[in-house]
Amino acid sequence: MASEQGLDAVRSVLENEAPHLLEKRETKARREGLPDLNNATKGKVVLRFAPNPNGPLSFGHARGLVINSTYREMYDGEFILRFDDTDTKVKPPMLEAYKQIQDETEWLIGRQPDRVVFASDRIETYYEHAANMLEQGFGYVCRCSAEEFKEHRVSKTSCPCRTQTPQDNMVFWTRMLNGNFKPGEAVVRVKTDMTLKNPALRDWPALRLQDTKAHPHPRPEIGSTYVVWPLLDFQSAVEDHLQGVTHIIRGKDLMDSTRKQTLLYEHFGWTYPETLYWGRVKVHEWGGFSTSQMRNDIENGKYSGWDDPRLPTLAGLKKRGTQALALRNFWLELGITQKDISVPLATLYAHNTKVIDDDAPRMTFVRHPVSFDLVGDHQDSIELPHHPNHPQMGVRRWNLSNGKIWIESEDLEKMDLRLKEFADVALHDREARLESIERLDKRPIVHWLSDQNSTEGVLVGTKDDTHLHIEGRVERHKHPVGTIVQLERVGYARIMEDGNLMLCHEELQAE
RNA sequence: GCUCGUAUAGUGUAGUGGCCCAUCAUGAAGGACUCUCAUUCCUUCGACCCGGGUUCAAAUCCCGGUACGAGCACCA
């Protein structure tokens, strides 16, 4: 009917016979941004992000920062940055990382955290809760070796220490604090249930001993002060409660941690925060990087530092010109699904391009340049816009009075070229003969450089795990260090401290 | 092995029983604009892991299978 009499005819029939069918269907709106939090009241939400400062922040850390701080904005709540620096041997903190992480946090989320907490400043507080736990009988000092306890965990049997009286436990606890035990000889456990289905939850360890003489804490004010240190599950659980954290959003690798901590909260009579998890994210182009592996590779010279652009650190990404907003948009788009995913860098680059293109002045870089002499009448100078879509950004003026120009060697295959914004030329030997100022035909348009307005320069970048190093001529400019420019026909680049250019989005041209 | 979790286009993502022959982005291909292989815009391509069940109705709920991931550290 619609095809024969038109839609209007159909409509009029419906109006008469079934008007309700014409009512606008309410289409499900695609959800914008992050989903609502459970049990969240505006103004009362407290979130935290708790990295170990054993190195600067990496790409993956950005997720925790972005998601948590975005919820802070959504609910007008509080965001805590907490340094979980309670291990001095396996993953020892790095002193410089404390400040760097705070700086990077501010860079990424655009504001300072509402609170900054150092776990290593709060050891006495954790002790109080440990003592409390022992006195109340839901914790005990276990003097079994790790191997011995493992057998108990597997066989669902209690170890001999489990039935000690609170008094005995307090005696052992004091001896732990006094350094009468060596690391490995005693540990404080939370009494749960040795028959729990999940073996990970059975009487889990809460505090242990560390040889802080041999491995002092890197913060000088802490150093070797303490020998008893809380483990993550205990420290984090107690601190979350003390700080009034209402929502925890973290990796699903910590799901069992939530269960362990919930058991502890039950003992203390506390209510566990709402918890959300995200799955693992891999980037196609990056293998597995661990903080300790990166540290090794930096020390042995494989990478130039934490800001080596080949590294998935925030510092490395920043050096390549990745914008904080692009990173935020990227993580917000992924959301908080529990799926394990693998994303290509192209996705991050797409976000970055959107952020930078409007503000990126155009510049010219001629790779593998070949010089030509202009032959024919031409003006002494030309003007080029800084940005084709934004005339208000002004123009750059090139001087052509010495008649010498540079062209990319890759463009020489064609003899007839259009020098962008200038003239049609024909190449012969090292001469570029002017054929027309007006564009007359469809010959390819190439970028080029006036000799007087360019210097030798280097374009660097990365290709997989190697450096890209392209010699060429770079246009003279007055942009400050750090400016993101667009090298026409080449790509976006960041102006570096040494005056060279760093490609923002690796890929193309394996040279 | 035990425990837990997840499965929607190439890659991500929306979707919590009917508005879904499935959203949005990215990607790829084509096109418009442009004196950049940029930006912007348009078009096209492409998916509900498998098998049962519940229901008038299932991507959505249940069960089973499969796949992938994580935890079972005196690391975080």
Side-chain angles (χ1 to χ4, degrees):
Chain A
M1 177 173 174
S3 57
E4 286 171 20
Q5 301 169 38
L7 267 179
D8 287 342
V10 176
R11 192 166 289 128
S12 69
V13 170
L14 281 175
E15 270 168 19
N16 293 331
E17 298 178 11
H20 63 278
L21 290 180
L22 280 179
E23 283 167 21
K24 269 188 192 148
R25 281 176 154 186
E26 279 183 38
T27 45
K28 270 180 197 162
R30 184 187 162 80
R31 199 197 72 229
E32 290 289 331
L34 264 14
D36 289 335
L37 252 18
N38 281 336
N39 280 319
T41 311
K42 203 161 173 122
K44 296 224 165 69
V45 171
V46 181
L47 303 130
R48 49 72 160 183
F49 173 68
N52 176 1
N54 63 339
L57 260 17
S58 69
F59 180 69
H61 287 117
R63 186 178 207 175
L65 247 12
V66 169
I67 301 291
N68 280 293
S69 70
T70 299
Y71 273 123
R72 178 225 178 272
E73 301 302 324
M74 277 171 69
Y75 287 96
D76 193 23
E78 285 188 88
F79 173 69
I80 301 167
L81 173 64
R82 189 180 76 209
F83 292 109
D84 280 353
D85 54 347
T86 57
D87 181 87
T88 63
K89 189 181 176 187
V90 182
K91 292 180 179 173
M94 193 174 95
L95 192 55
E96 318 84 76
Y98 289 90
K99 181 174 189 308
Q100 186 170 356
I101 287 175
Q102 291 182 72
D103 291 345
E104 289 173 338
T105 296
E106 194 173 345
W107 171 73
L108 181 64
I109 72 177
R111 68 180 302 146
Q112 292 188 340
D114 298 290
R115 266 179 267 165
V116 179
V117 175
F118 296 73
S120 52
D121 276 340
R122 314 259 300 156
I123 302 301
E124 303 283 352
T125 307
Y126 305 138
Y127 286 175
E128 286 169 25
H129 285 81
N132 192 333
M133 176 166 81
L134 295 171
E135 281 168 348
Q136 293 189 49
F138 57 85
Y140 60 96
V141 175
C142 177
R143 288 166 297 145
C144 300
S145 68
E147 295 72 31
E148 283 165 354
F149 190 82
K150 187 172 184 179
E151 285 177 24
H152 287 294
R153 180 172 48 234
V154 174
S155 63
K156 301 186 181 180
T157 54
S158 299
C159 82
C161 321
R162 195 170 204 267
T163 50
Q164 282 158 185
T165 62
Q167 290 72 27
D168 287 343
N169 281 319
M170 286 308 285
V171 170
F172 289 128
W173 169 243
T174 306
R175 290 177 59 186
M176 278 179 78
L177 291 176
N178 290 342
N180 297 341
F181 290 110
K182 289 195 178 65
E185 292 180 348
V187 60
V188 177
R189 294 189 179 280
V190 177
K191 207 181 276 183
T192 61
D193 183 343
M194 293 306 287
T195 61
L196 250 22
K197 277 173 70 183
N198 188 340
L201 311 183
R202 297 172 193 157
D203 283 14
W204 53 272
L207 300 98
R208 76 345 192 149
L209 295 154
Q210 296 195 94
D211 182 355
T212 46
K213 284 277 184 287
H215 302 282
H217 195 281
R219 291 179 70 208
E221 59 269 52
I222 307 297
S224 308
T225 311
Y226 307 105
V227 291
V228 178
W229 284 80
L231 269 332
L232 171 87
D233 291 317
F234 185 78
Q235 177 271 130
S236 177
V238 170
E239 198 61 72
D240 281 338
H241 177 258
L242 264 18
Q243 298 291 335
V245 169
T246 58
H247 295 76
I248 299 172
I249 312 169
R250 58 184 172 192
K252 69 174 183 182
D253 54 311
L254 293 175
M255 272 181 167
D256 282 348
S257 195
T258 297
R259 296 180 184 108
K260 287 186 205 173
Q261 294 177 341
T262 302
L263 294 169
L264 181 67
Y265 269 55
E266 284 168 7
H267 283 313
F268 276 118
W270 302 338
T271 306
Y272 201 75
E274 291 283 337
T275 315
L276 253 39
Y277 308 93
W278 54 65
R280 221 177 60 158
V281 173
K282 274 197 295 193
V283 172
H284 289 346
E285 291 83 348
W286 291 333
F289 283 91
S290 74
T291 303
S292 49
Q293 185 60 47
M294 285 193 276
R295 192 206 291 253
N296 281 343
D297 287 340
I298 290 167
E299 279 165 9
N300 67 32
K302 184 175 174 190
Y303 299 115
S304 59
W306 290 101
D307 65 350
D308 189 299
R310 292 167 296 174
L311 254 20
T313 55
L314 251 34
L317 286 165
K318 191 176 174 182
K319 191 171 189 172
R320 292 224 306 242
T322 307
Q323 303 295 293
L325 181 58
L327 237 15
R328 275 185 296 197
N329 291 342
F330 171 86
W331 284 114
L332 252 17
E333 185 176 60
L334 296 196
I336 46 183
T337 61
Q338 290 186 33
K339 265 163 82 173
D340 298 311
I341 57 177
S342 182
V343 287
L345 272 179
T347 305
L348 176 60
Y349 293 154
H351 282 290
N352 204 45
T353 296
K354 278 195 179 68
V355 173
I356 63 183
D357 183 76
D358 236 17
D359 298 318
R362 270 43 179 174
M363 244 177 74
T364 303
F365 182 86
V366 175
R367 296 165 289 192
H368 308 135
V370 181
S371 72
F372 284 84
D373 290 318
L374 286 173
V375 177
D377 287 339
H378 60 83
Q379 58 271 58
D380 274 349
S381 70
I382 62 165
E383 285 185 350
L384 304 149
H386 275 302
H387 192 120
N389 305 343
H390 301 296
Q392 69 275 20
M393 283 174 74
V395 295
R396 37 199 171 131
R397 182 184 297 273
W398 286 2
N399 192 334
L400 301 174
S401 57
N402 77 353
K404 189 173 164 190
I405 62 165
W406 297 87
I407 298 176
E408 280 200 356
S409 57
E410 282 78 0
D411 286 329
L412 301 183
E413 290 170 15
K414 291 263 187 178
M415 305 308 279
D416 295 327
L417 296 171
R418 170 75 184 174
L419 302 180
K420 190 171 184 301
E421 309 270 7
F422 177 46
D424 289 350
V425 296
L427 304 181
H428 293 287
D429 299 327
R430 304 302 286 278
E431 291 182 353
R433 290 189 192 150
L434 279 109
E435 298 189 334
S436 166
I437 293 300
E438 297 301 316
R439 180 167 167 87
L440 293 181
D441 49 33
K442 294 273 186 187
R443 66 181 69 188
I445 298 167
V446 301
H447 65 297
W448 58 288
L449 229 28
S450 117
D451 179 63
Q452 287 150 293
N453 291 84
S454 64
T455 55
E456 287 185 358
V458 176
L459 176 62
V460 300
T462 61
K463 176 76 185 172
D464 301 323
D465 204 27
T466 62
H467 282 295
L468 216 54
H469 187 96
I470 306 170
E471 309 268 349
R473 299 282 303 183
V474 60
E475 179 180 347
R476 287 182 198 279
H477 64 87
K478 289 180 183 148
H479 302 306
V481 167
T483 304
I484 309 293
V485 299
Q486 190 207 65
L487 304 176
E488 289 179 317
R489 290 182 74 221
V490 177
Y492 298 96
R494 178 176 173 275
I495 295 170
M496 296 199 293
E497 289 68 16
D498 61 7
N500 286 331
L501 295 152
M502 167 86 69
L503 267 179
C504 296
H505 306 161
E506 76 180 82
E507 74 212 296
L508 66 160
Q509 286 92 31
E511 296 293 321

